[in-house]
């Protein structure tokens, strides 16, 4: 094992990491309003002055795994009216396409133990245009593009600072910090750099009275006094001056209430910028910064070095100076060796760069997440009692939820909370570098203090009770196999424990989302936001209800995933054979329901259009098919698994029961993929699609005038660009147009769009399904790709071709441009921009430009898996 792999064997190496959120304001956790208006209850303007109850935020922040102590970066260019302590962005009402961060920053490198990390923040030398960004985006409609910081022209003449922040661990609680500031302009420019350390406020709420302390300890050290921390000092070198205040709310500024707090949370900024006497002359507090005032010549750089450490070393840098840079070089070399091992077989340097930055984004997007719903509803003893309306409001039926863990989140600014189905995809990528962490993440959501007593998994904090697609079982089995491949040992304890919890969740789906008991599932919006003609998470008018092709297909997929897990466990314990039979039969019942439901028992498959559609039951049980060609109709492709002859031979009881069921229910046996015909390698196929229907469905998916983009599979057919789909239900007209970019709909806040863009996770699942079908059908089975081209490809080759289209979003094309970066020449041509990759939430269906959340490496990090898949063949 290389050095980083060895460190992964010791959990204490993960005690410190990039666990500080990029945004705490505007979150549900910090919302104590009666009406649940989280975006306006706490704001960016309040953030510098308010002590947070549930977490902390910062730029390039790190903390311990309980977030008792945080470290991050603050900056002041001598022009801004506030200290740059946190990333700025618009809330959901301010942005013309929903909430959006308005900064330029990149997560460039990281190892899974956080032994080495690197990020870059680009800070303008001119005054930051807070108000301009708010006003201009407020002026624009949903049909207009977002107005970004790059559009202000502040970076056009290179009048900005590149601020690189690097961390290298000398030990589990000994962290070296290097901040390198480059003046990219031609002229000298000044700024203040303020490395900041502070305690999360755990004492002001009336639940714990212990209050830790920071204080000056000599000329170049801040003493850290906390009863639960090993880290005891922050050492620094150079001509920095120490400034102290308290991590306490400025009640005068926010609430016009003088609580006699002289040195509140915003005290350092007010002292520096406005000359107020708001820092403690006694040199102690619960928040401290080291103030470096620098003037950097044009084209030059300066470096600041610090050490956050458990070592008691009065002359920390005298003793350590000789090896400071040596240790950084060593950790970088170890990171290189770690990634070199992972990237074997990848020949393209550009692909290696994309792969490494994708993984870095995944690792930087870990966050300490604390949310205890009972306490949140009750309020705290030392604070005013929250409004009684909250007991009937958001998340009030999730009182058992008690979260306080390090969790992989989608994007620490736009989505600084976990999302159940996002997390499943995250783990598939995290499993490449740290399968133990991936397993732990999957385990978390099924713990009693996460899972609802009914068996539902928590969706996300804005609505814990929303139904996300049930991908958890598929992720569990993938990680089980990845972990076994990496270690050479199968972790049956992990698989067995998760299986039992997933069984409870599967039962919840059956009991709660199949109201008629006919194996056709409603499910709700299922993460696809505005993909439908109406809000699928809300009730339909006049008692109508939907029967969803995607909800039903997800459940068929869930049943197959549980079947596969059961068969694996049956090789370890034959008691699981009966569970394998149960899920085999359940899959067939769902397949039968999809085939027979609907008008004249034609099912959710439309024979005329050769596509799957949702349908709505309206008055007098009349059925209306929603004949819009969207990703909803492609999701049935996900429900596919291959069972080998070896598996059946190893589980003869299952084989016997399976054959008995098929003999007694020939109507169901005939529905699924010619079960009695073995594939080329003595395999059997379980899927919702036989060869003919699969070919017809793929003919739509691979049609460049419909779903197939140069950059992957679109979420809606392009045929609706000129002729939007329209329908009238109970006198209410609705339409769905093709929108390849940002959403023009207010549904779900308008900050995501499933009506045309390319979404990485859905493409990933489609590629996996094609590979499974290929495993059964072999190279003899070929389809036309693209549709009407006359070119025939195997299903595996088609999957690889789609993967290449997705990868082309990030790779430099023939013109040297990366489509993800859009059309701005600075991003595409400038050597200080063009090789820094952003991993967006989704991508323009026609030109590949990145859209939505700009650091959602979470599921877009799957591009790392596709790079490996493509290069391994």
């Amino acid at each position: 094992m290389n050095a980083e792999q060895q460190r992964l064997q010791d959990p204490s190496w993960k005690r410190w990491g990039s666990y500080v959120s990029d945004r705490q304001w505007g979150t549900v956790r910090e919302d104590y309003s009666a009406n649940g208006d989280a975006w306006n209850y706490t704001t960016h303007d309040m953030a510098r002055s308010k002590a947070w109850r549930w977490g902390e935020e910062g730029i390039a922040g790190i903390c311990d795994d309980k977030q008792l102590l945080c470290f991050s970066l603050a900056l002041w260019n001598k022009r801004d009216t506030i200290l740059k302590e946190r990333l700025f962005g618009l809330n959901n009402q301010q942005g013309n396409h929903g909430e959006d961060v308005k900064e330029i920053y990149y997560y460039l490198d990281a190892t899974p133990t956080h032994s080495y990390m690197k990020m870059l923040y680009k800070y303008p030398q001119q005054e930051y245009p807070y108000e301009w960004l708010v006003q201009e985006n407020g002026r624009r409609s949903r049909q207009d593009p977002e107005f970004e910081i790059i559009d202000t022209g502040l970076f056009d003449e290179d009048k900005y600072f590149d601020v690189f922040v690097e961390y290298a661990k000398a030990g589990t609680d000994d962290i070296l910090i290097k901040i390198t500031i480059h003046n990219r302009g031609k002229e000298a420019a000044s700024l203040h750099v303020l490395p900041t350390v502070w305690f999360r406020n755990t004492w002001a709420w009336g639940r714990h009275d212990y209050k830790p302390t920071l204080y000056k300890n000599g000329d170049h050290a801040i003493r850290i006094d906390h009863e639960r921390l090993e880290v005891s000092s922050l050492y620094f070198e150079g001509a920095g001056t120490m400034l102290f205040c308290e991590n306490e709310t400025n009640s005068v500024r926010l609430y016009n209430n003088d609580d006699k707090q002289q040195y509140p949370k915003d005290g350092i900024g007010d002292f520096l910028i406005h000359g107020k006497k708001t820092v403690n002359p006694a040199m102690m507090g619960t928040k401290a910064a080291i103030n470096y005032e620098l003037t950097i010549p044009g084209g030059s750089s300066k470096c600041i070095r610090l050490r956050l450490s458990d070592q008691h070393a009065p002359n920390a840098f005298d003793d350590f100076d000789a090896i400071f840079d040596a240790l950084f070089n060593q950790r970088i070399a170890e990171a290189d060796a770690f990634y070199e091992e992972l990237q074997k077989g990848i020949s393209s340097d550009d692909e290696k760069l994309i792969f490494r930055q994708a993984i870095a984004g995944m690792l930087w997007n870990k966050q300490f997440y604390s949310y205890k719903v009972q306490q949140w509803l009750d309020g705290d003893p030392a604070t005013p009692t929250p409004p009684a309306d909250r007991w009937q409001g958001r998340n009030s039926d999730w009182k058992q939820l008690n979260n306080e863990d390090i969790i992989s989140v989608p994007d620490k600014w736009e989505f600084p909370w976990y999302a159940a189905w996002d997390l499943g995809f995250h783990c598939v990528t995290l499993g490449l570098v740290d399968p133990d962490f991936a397993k732990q993440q999957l385990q978390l959501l099924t713990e009693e203090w996460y899972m609802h007593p009914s068996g539902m998994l928590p969706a996300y904090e804005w609505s814990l009770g929303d139904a996300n697609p049930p991908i958890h079982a598929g992720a569990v089995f993938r990680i089980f196999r990845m972990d076994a491949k990496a270690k050479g040992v199968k972790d049956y304890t992990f698989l067995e424990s998760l299986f039992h919890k997933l069984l409870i969740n599967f039962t919840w789906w059956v009991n709660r989302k199949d109201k008629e008991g006919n194996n056709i599932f409603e499910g709700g919006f299922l993460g696809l936001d505005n993909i439908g003609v109406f809000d699928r998470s809300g009730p339909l008018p006049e008692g109508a209800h939907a029967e969803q092709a995607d909800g039903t297909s997800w459940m068929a997929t869930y049943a197959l995933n549980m079947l596969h897990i059961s068969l694996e466990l049956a090789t370890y314990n034959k008691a699981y054979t009966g569970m394998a039979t149960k899920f085999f039969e359940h899959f067939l019942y769902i397949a039968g329901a999809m085939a027979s439901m609907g008008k004249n028992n034609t099912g959710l498959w439309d024979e005329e259009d050769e596509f799957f559609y949702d349908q709505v039951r309206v008055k007098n049980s009349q059925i209306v098919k929603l004949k819009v060609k969207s990703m909803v109709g492609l999701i049935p492709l996900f429900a596919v698994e291959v069972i080998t002859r070896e598996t059946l031979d190893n589980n003869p009881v299952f084989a016997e029961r399976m054959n008995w069921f098929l003999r007694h229910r020939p109507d169901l046996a005939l529905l699924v993929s010619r079960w009695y015909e073995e594939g080329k390698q003595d395999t059997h196929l379980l899927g919702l699609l036989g060869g003919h229907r699969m070919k017809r469905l793929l003919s739509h998916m691979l049609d460049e005038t419909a779903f197939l983009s140069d950059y992957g599979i679109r979420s809606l057919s392009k045929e609706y660009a000129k002729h939007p789909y329209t329908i009238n239900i109970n006198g209410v007209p609705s339409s769905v147009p093709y929108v390849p970019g940002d959403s023009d709909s207010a549904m779900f806040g308008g900050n995501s769009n499933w009506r045309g863009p390319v979404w990485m996770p859905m493409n990933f699942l489609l590629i996996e399904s094609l590979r499974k079908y290929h495993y059964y059908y072999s190279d003899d089975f070929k389809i036309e790709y693209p549709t009407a081209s006359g070119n025939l490809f195997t299903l595996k080759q088609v999957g690889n071709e789609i993967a290449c289209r997705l990868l082309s979003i990030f790779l430099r094309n023939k013109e040297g441009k990366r489509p993800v970066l859009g059309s701005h020449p600075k991003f595409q041509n400038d050597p200080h921009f063009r090789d820094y990759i952003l991993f967006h939430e989704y991508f323009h269906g026609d030109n590949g430009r990145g859209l939505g959340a700009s650091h959602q490496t979470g599921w877009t990090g799957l591009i790392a898996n596709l790079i490996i898949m493509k290069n391994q063949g």
Side-chain angles (χ1 to χ4, degrees), residues 60 62 71 115-117 165-169 175-177 328 364:
I62 62 170
F71 174 92
S115 59
Y116 177 72
M117 297 191 296
V165 182
E166 296 174 87
Y167 300 98
K169 290 184 182 178
I175 305 159
L176 307 185
I177 305 163
F328 263 95
W364 271 92

Side-chain angles (χ1 to χ4, degrees), residues 37 43 94 102 176 215 302 514 533 541 543 568 593 694 712 736 753 865 871:
D37 185 5
T43 65
Q94 292 172 328
K102 298 299 182 185
L176 307 185
Y215 57 89
K302 292 194 176 181
D514 177 22
V533 296
E568 178 65 44
M694 181 186 64
V736 177
N753 187 17
N865 300 74
N871 284 277

Side-chain angles (χ1 to χ4, degrees), residues 8-76:
L8 280 168
Q9 310 306 304
D10 180 359
S12 65
W13 275 96
K14 298 179 190 174
R15 184 154 47 234
W16 283 82
S18 55
Y19 309 145
V20 178
S21 179
D22 290 340
R23 176 174 64 83
Q24 188 71 9
W25 64 269
T27 60
V28 167
R29 285 156 287 156
E30 302 295 348
D31 174 22
Y32 284 77
S33 67
N35 62 356
D37 185 5
W39 282 114
N40 291 305
Y41 188 78
T42 60
T43 65
H44 178 271
D45 180 66
M46 296 173 66
R48 67 182 181 275
S49 305
K50 183 174 177 60
W52 298 123
R53 171 65 176 86
W54 296 103
E56 294 292 346
E57 62 195 359
I59 298 173
I62 62 170
C63 67
D64 62 280
D65 56 10
K66 300 301 180 185
Q67 201 171 85
L68 301 174
L69 181 72
C70 302
F71 174 92
S72 74
L73 178 67
L75 301 161
W76 184 46

